[in-house]
Amino acid sequence: MADLKTDVRYLKGIGEKKALALNKLGVFSLYDLISFFPRKYEDRSRICPIAAAMDGESLCIQALVADTPRLSHIRRGMDLVKLRAVDDSGVVDITFFNQSYAKDNLHRGESYNFFGRVEVKNGRRSMVNPVYEPSDRAGQVTGRIVPVYRLSAGLNQRSIMQAVRQGLDSCLDKLPDLLPEEVQRRCRLSQARYAYENIHFPADFEALELARRRLIFEELFVLSCALGRMQRQRSTDEGIKLSPRDMEEFWASLPFRPTEAQRRAVAQATEDMCSGAVMSRLVQGDVGSGKTLVAAALIWLCAQNGYMSAFMAPTEILAQQHYDTLSSMLSPFGLRVGKLTGSLSAKEKRQVKALLQQGELDVVVGTHALFSQDVEYKNLALVVTDEQHRFGVNQRSALINKGARPHVLVMSATPIPRTLALIIYGDLDISVIDQLPPGRQKVDTFAVDESYRTRLNGFIRKQVAEGRQVFVVVPMVEENEELNIKLKSAQEHAAQLSALFPDLKIGCVHGKMKAKDKDAVMAAFVSGEIQILVATTVIEVGVDVPNASLMIVENAERFGLSQLHQLRGRVGRGKHKSYCILVSDSDSPELRSRLDIMCKTSDGFKISEEDLRLRGPGDFFGSRQHGLPEMHVADLGADVNVLQQAQDESRRLLEKDPQLELPEHQALKERVDRLYEVNSAGFN
Ligand code: ADP
Ligand code: MG
């Protein structure tokens, strides 16, 4: 008897090969399989009269085969089956390539449903390789809404669909409903079994919507419960209790005044750290808002209390930059700043580790090497992680296991709307730095199309001639990319620029490179050796190159607004007038209005609110920048209302049952616990 944990390879039609292909998609058990939601749907439920079919439309027709299908061999390895089909309104020519069996499956005088793309040429309609089934037995691949799944090599839609069908049939009745009845009633949600059935094989669009809403809710609810439980847990944990200091002493040493927002964030964190409980605080601030200073102030506070801090950056380059910044801010007070990264020699590492163990440093800056097994800290009170989206929830919790529960400060430069922050960072308290230091120049932003290419190249030339540097960002080319989209890869684009500017040094970084090689190119750009850096979004994370004054984003339509904003934040960091040029040939009005927002405002929070309004929260969850486990909401297209509701309901439930101990919450607890398991498995 199959149950939810049964391996997919026990399904009929799923052999070793297909099972492996499913594993590639993250599907191992039947439960995974029925939770593998379609990426989209094709409406094959409506039958369209042949004469009403427009050129290029994909649709379903019901037609009589009017002549005997003819098989011809064009050449070796190329068979054609041709036939004509008719309904009351018109005629369509149907051709099958290399499906000679169609000749035997389709019979003259009988009625079939065909689904496919219609072409109209000189008034004649045709279809190539449609899917079909007899009209009197329709309902498998036509005559209904059909799911479309993500694929991997070795799988096709039909095989996934059949596997899912079997999965549902064999274990849907064993699927527990983890949402309390009360919650389902209050939020008008459909039941689990209904939802899982209809997300795959919707009876109609209304059923699909009900299913979708329920599943999004469920996912966000589980996540909120997990994070909420973590937060509750933490507030009862005992932390290192610091005594407050007069911050003016630190502020007075700076060459500038801290902004009100910086003061507020420091005050909030200080209160946490002096409370006796463990701090877990997120500092959210736009690029350039001065988050590093907040961290420096708190490191200073710890040092005044005789404690050490650790500052973790996602890359070597950033670790070096932070090391330099912190050294200059903290050494005037006699604080000892150390560095620990993967690129140090074994001897250097040993030295730093010894210092850490003896408590001879006040702060150590580094990459995740900071938290490898053999690093021991004496008196570690504070862990700061920069650009937290590179570290998962799991890693955050692993940090906490280093010694006596240090306080954790997470810094994120991705402004996200408050509603989302509550869910994504549900386990953290949040400080927002909503103010930039005075005197910042606005980065002039323009949205252009290909017709500006020559002028754009001229502009690059001009900036470089003035001694500036240029970022060019191209979208990541994904595998599985739909074939009709033309995207240049970073390497291709760099090669073109090299041909255009043979006298300039052009570097290229992309996701497939080794971290070490990436860092080397980045370092060459930081030092000014390279003038133009072509990159995928790997540069999004806060590299500081004050001399860069021009950011060009190719295929800007491929980026979310918040991402564009992050990218733009890479320029305008020095004294030079800076520009951001968004290149896109797409003429979709939706895109135009998105790019318009970029040109008009430089407020990251406003931009992310707009992004949320225009595109829904899916992109925020889909981008995986926050280190959360992979979420389906992105595929399912969540809306903000469901988000809010799930958050409210999870709070309500945790109020009543903080540890999920009640018998009626056991199915929920299991899912919530699993979220942690998945999380901690990913970290070592
Ligand atoms: P981010 O929030 O993006 O990490 P940084 O901490 O790198 O920002 O700060 C950006 C720049 O602003 C740095 O050069 C820093 O020295 C400067 N800065 C930070 N706070 C202030 C302030 N209150 N007044 C003036 N300049 C500041
Ligand atoms: Mg920063």
Side-chain angles (χ1 to χ4, degrees):
M1 267 316 279
D3 61 28
L4 292 161
K5 294 199 182 89
T6 303
D7 195 301
V8 283
R9 70 192 65 215
Y10 294 108
L11 292 174
K12 260 202 312 213
I14 301 295
E16 197 63 27
K17 256 200 180 140
K18 284 199 175 133
L20 284 174
L22 281 169
N23 295 167
K24 266 218 180 101
L25 295 168
V27 174
F28 297 87
S29 66
L30 292 190
Y31 179 69
D32 298 335
L33 180 65
I34 65 173
S35 308
F36 184 67
F37 302 141
R39 171 170 77 77
K40 60 176 190 183
Y41 301 85
E42 263 169 7
D43 184 6
R44 303 184 192 171
S45 59
R46 232 172 30 88
I47 302 287
C48 178
I50 292 175
M54 310 277 263
D55 188 36
E57 246 183 318
S58 288
L59 45 75
C60 202
I61 58 167
Q62 188 167 76
L64 222 53
V65 173
D67 50 13
T68 307
R70 300 172 304 281
L71 173 67
S72 48
H73 301 282
I74 302 288
R75 58 180 133 85
R76 249 172 86 100
M78 172 76 94
D79 290 338
L80 282 189
V81 175
K82 281 181 170 277
L83 59 94
R84 268 187 335 142
V86 296
D87 69 5
D88 292 344
S89 73
V91 183
V92 62
D93 295 316
I94 295 180
T95 309
F96 294 96
F97 284 99
N98 287 342
Q99 297 184 28
S100 48
Y101 47 86
K103 179 180 177 334
D104 305 319
N105 288 346
L106 293 160
H107 306 288
R108 179 178 174 184
E110 286 178 19
S111 174
Y112 298 87
N113 287 7
F114 296 94
F115 175 84
R117 213 176 98 100
V118 174
E119 259 182 60
V120 186
K121 229 183 226 158
N122 305 327
R124 286 186 74 98
R125 294 183 158 70
S126 61
M127 264 184 177
V128 174
N129 292 344
V131 296
Y132 57 89
E133 59 192 354
S135 301
D136 56 356
R137 278 180 282 134
Q140 283 277 337
V141 292
T142 71
R144 63 182 244 198
I145 301 167
V146 174
V148 179
Y149 296 94
R150 263 186 304 130
L151 294 177
S152 63
L155 288 169
N156 58 30
Q157 292 297 341
R158 202 183 271 247
S159 55
I160 293 199
M161 215 156 86
Q162 280 167 355
V164 171
R165 183 68 267 161
Q166 283 183 69
L168 288 169
D169 290 343
S170 60
C171 63
L172 200 54
D173 56 340
K174 300 184 186 87
L175 186 71
D177 203 321
L178 48 83
L179 292 183
E181 260 179 53
E182 186 193 322
V183 174
Q184 292 192 32
R185 214 172 334 106
R186 217 171 12 237
C187 302
R188 295 162 198 263
L189 298 168
S190 59
Q191 293 183 340
R193 286 164 204 179
Y194 177 91
Y196 277 83
E197 171 68 34
N198 281 281
I199 200 71
H200 292 287
F201 303 109
D204 51 38
F205 279 104
E206 204 180 329
L208 175 58
E209 179 53 26
L210 280 171
R212 198 184 63 87
R213 209 167 157 275
R214 143 88 200 201
L215 292 167
I216 292 168
F217 184 98
E218 179 178 308
E219 185 168 44
L220 294 171
F221 182 76
V222 169
L223 178 67
S224 306
C225 284
L227 295 173
R229 196 175 60 165
M230 217 145 118
Q231 186 177 35
R232 269 156 212 272
Q233 170 74 45
R234 180 167 51 72
S235 61
T236 61
D237 287 345
E238 227 171 273
I240 296 163
K241 190 171 161 126
L242 302 183
S243 43
R245 284 296 141 102
D246 181 7
M247 273 296 152
E248 279 312 321
E249 199 189 321
F250 178 72
W251 298 139
S253 75
L254 299 174
F256 44 68
R257 305 291 303 152
T259 61
E260 273 313 306
Q262 285 170 320
R263 284 174 188 272
R264 194 173 54 233
V266 169
Q268 287 167 341
T270 303
E271 191 173 322
D272 294 347
M273 292 199 289
C274 297
S275 73
V278 177
M279 171 174 80
S280 270
R281 183 169 285 280
L282 172 77
V283 176
Q284 246 206 319
D286 217 339
V287 275
S289 62
K291 293 181 290 292
T292 321
L293 179 59
V294 171
L298 298 172
I299 292 166
W300 177 83
L301 174 69
C302 288
Q304 299 305 309
N305 276 268
Y307 285 101
M308 179 158 64
S309 306
F311 191 121
M312 174 157 73
T315 65
E316 294 253 344
I317 302 258
L318 281 170
Q320 182 62 45
Q321 283 188 353
H322 286 309
Y323 173 77
D324 295 340
T325 311
L326 291 176
S327 298
S328 74
M329 284 180 181
L330 297 170
S331 45
F333 294 96
L335 266 58
R336 297 152 301 176
V337 184
K339 190 175 70 169
L340 181 59
T341 62
S343 67
L344 295 185
S345 71
K347 185 168 159 230
E348 289 167 319
K349 277 184 203 158
R350 257 200 320 277
Q351 281 169 346
V352 180
K353 282 180 206 166
L355 290 175
L356 289 174
Q357 199 179 11
Q358 293 148 18
E360 295 288 322
L361 290 175
D362 295 292
V363 55
V364 61
V365 184
T367 52
H368 46 255
L370 284 179
F371 296 97
S372 48
Q373 216 108 73
D374 58 342
V375 183
E376 278 175 51
Y377 292 90
K378 189 169 174 195
N379 290 334
L380 180 65
L382 172 66
V383 173
V384 181
T385 75
D386 184 29
E387 307 298 347
Q388 83 96 26
H389 50 269
R390 295 294 157 120
F391 306 104
V393 175
N394 44 325
Q395 285 157 311
R396 277 190 239 150
S397 45
L399 293 185
I400 295 172
N401 301 329
K402 281 275 171 199
R405 309 303 310 267
H407 300 293
V408 176
L409 186 78
V410 172
M411 305 199 295
S412 168
T414 317
I416 59 171
R418 181 141 188 89
T419 27
L420 283 177
L422 282 176
I423 294 238
I424 292 180
Y425 303 115
D427 57 330
L428 304 174
D429 296 312
I430 301 179
S431 294
V432 176
I433 308 190
D434 50 5
Q435 194 179 17
L436 291 182
R440 278 292 149 77
Q441 293 193 37
K442 190 174 155 293
V443 176
D444 282 347
T445 305
F446 305 93
V448 304
D449 58 29
E450 279 303 324
S451 67
Y452 284 75
R453 185 61 69 188
T454 317
R455 265 195 272 175
L456 185 54
N457 289 334
F459 194 54
I460 294 178
R461 173 61 79 190
K462 183 159 165 279
Q463 289 292 313
V464 175
E466 286 172 15
R468 302 289 80 76
Q469 287 165 282
V470 180
F471 281 112
V472 182
V473 173
V474 302
M476 210 107 67
V477 183
E478 288 159 34
E479 288 173 53
N480 261 338
E481 194 72 67
E482 269 141 56
L483 293 167
N484 52 358
I485 305 174
K486 271 184 275 133
L487 283 180
K488 272 181 284 188
S489 71
Q491 294 105 303
E492 279 171 306
H493 197 76
Q496 282 179 9
L497 287 173
S498 299
L500 213 55
F501 303 111
D503 53 322
L504 302 184
K505 266 208 86 165
I506 294 163
C508 178
V509 283
H510 54 84
K512 294 218 174 72
M513 287 163 77
K514 285 204 202 94
K516 214 175 112 215
D517 300 335
K518 232 187 292 187
D519 277 350
V521 179
M522 286 307 300
F525 190 63
V526 171
S527 73
E529 215 177 293
I530 287 174
Q531 283 112 22
I532 303 177
L533 181 70
V534 181
T536 52
T537 43
V538 287
I539 58 150
E540 217 181 302
V541 178
V543 234
D544 204 11
V545 187
N547 190 46
S549 62
L550 175 57
M551 163 64 66
I552 298 171
V553 184
E554 298 288 341
N555 290 100
E557 74 281 358
R558 309 277 298 183
F559 296 87
L561 275 185
S562 300
Q563 221 177 356
L564 289 175
H565 179 66
Q566 285 295 305
L567 291 171
R568 177 167 64 183
R570 297 303 111 218
V571 295
R573 297 171 83 85
K575 51 187 181 300
H576 312 289
K577 175 76 201 147
S578 297
Y579 306 87
C580 174
I581 316 257
L582 308 170
V583 188
S584 175
D585 243 6
S586 157
D587 46 16
S588 112
E590 190 248 12
L591 172 80
R592 286 290 142 207
S593 68
R594 276 203 288 141
L595 297 187
D596 244 22
I597 294 164
M598 286 299 298
C599 301
K600 282 197 193 108
T601 176
S602 46
D603 177 338
F605 282 98
K606 212 183 262 166
I607 287 170
S608 70
E609 291 283 356
E610 284 295 329
D611 213 9
L612 180 62
R613 196 176 59 77
L614 287 171
R615 308 214 296 173
D619 284 331
F620 291 91
F621 285 104
S623 63
R624 306 263 282 140
Q625 292 196 339
H626 37 63
L628 291 176
E630 194 165 0
M631 302 284 283
H632 288 119
V633 289
D635 292 338
L636 294 175
D639 58 53
V640 182
N641 293 337
V642 188
L643 206 73
Q644 189 74 58
Q645 260 184 344
Q647 171 75 10
D648 293 346
E649 288 294 341
S650 74
R651 291 231 166 117
R652 206 157 166 166
L653 184 115
L654 289 176
E655 249 353 284
K656 210 167 73 185
D657 183 12
Q659 292 305 321
L660 302 176
E661 285 159 343
L662 296 176
E664 66 267 32
H665 295 154
Q666 288 321 292
L668 174 62
K669 181 168 188 296
E670 205 175 302
R671 267 280 288 277
V672 169
D673 287 343
R674 253 226 327 246
L675 211 56
Y676 286 116
E677 265 170 47
V678 171
N679 273 331
S680 41
F683 181 70
N684 40 42

